[in-house]
Amino acid sequence: SGVSEALVLLFSDDGQFLRQFLLDETVNSVDALSRAGALELARRLALDPARIGTRLPPLVNAILPPLSSDDEKLINNIQKIVDFLTGTNGSGNQGAGLFNQETTQELVQVLPQIAPGMRSFGLQIIGGLTERLNQRIFSGLREQLTPVTNAYFTD
């Protein structure tokens, strides 16, 4: 069926362009969702800088920058995709989703064929997220250490 054929194409050599696009979007979306969750947790634990009247260290600000309007769009798009795949709408009502018994049986048939590509894709997602976190950590460290290094290494 269409789902099986699409997945076989996606995880084949011919699907490289689409896989790269999905990889970039997935990394961006997971990054935005994880930051949204962490920022919400900080807010609920009363660690919101606006609420407690103090600035967080630059390293924390670098790791958890506020969500941009693009991040908010990504989160909304992910919700729409999940709703489509699960057959729910915004109100949580169940409809005809992509994940049903027939589709599941089809996926079982092609899983051995696409499993290596899925594994590689998952590792690339983790690598992209790790790279993004590392960039933020080093940026935050640089921002935090610049005043100190400037004080010691003046001309």
Side-chain angles (χ1 to χ4, degrees):
S1 90
V3 173
S4 299
E5 291 171 7
L7 287 172
V8 169
L9 172 67
L10 177 65
F11 293 110
S12 72
D13 290 341
D14 293 335
Q16 176 61 33
F17 177 77
L18 182 57
R19 229 179 11 262
Q20 186 61 49
F21 173 77
L22 287 175
L23 176 65
D24 294 341
E25 289 302 306
T26 301
V27 168
N28 290 337
S29 299
V30 171
D31 176 58
L33 283 168
S34 63
R35 283 187 293 125
L39 292 167
E40 177 63 16
L41 178 63
R43 186 189 66 74
R44 288 184 182 206
L45 294 176
L47 298 175
D48 185 3
R51 189 174 183 182
I52 60 176
T54 184
R55 268 191 77 215
L56 294 174
L59 183 58
V60 174
N61 288 328
I63 293 172
L64 292 173
L67 297 179
S68 68
S69 61
D70 287 344
D71 292 332
E72 295 289 348
K73 288 177 190 174
L74 282 170
I75 292 171
N76 289 333
N77 288 340
I78 288 296
Q79 184 62 54
K80 290 175 187 174
I81 291 170
V82 169
D83 289 347
F84 169 76
L85 293 174
T86 60
T88 57
N89 58 29
S91 62
N93 294 333
Q94 196 71 23
L98 191 58
F99 292 119
N100 54 42
Q101 187 173 3
E102 181 183 330
T103 305
T104 304
Q105 289 172 348
E106 288 178 37
L107 293 177
V108 168
Q109 300 299 318
V110 297
L111 193 57
Q113 184 178 357
I114 64 174
M118 290 174 64
R119 179 181 178 277
S120 175
F121 188 71
L123 291 172
Q124 288 174 322
I125 291 170
I126 292 168
L129 291 168
T130 302
E131 182 180 330
R132 187 163 295 181
L133 180 61
N134 284 340
Q135 288 172 343
R136 287 194 183 120
I137 288 171
F138 287 113
S139 174
L141 285 173
R142 184 176 47 246
E143 184 180 333
Q144 202 163 358
L145 294 175
T146 296
V148 175
T149 56
N150 286 345
Y152 285 104
F153 299 108
T154 57
D155 290 334

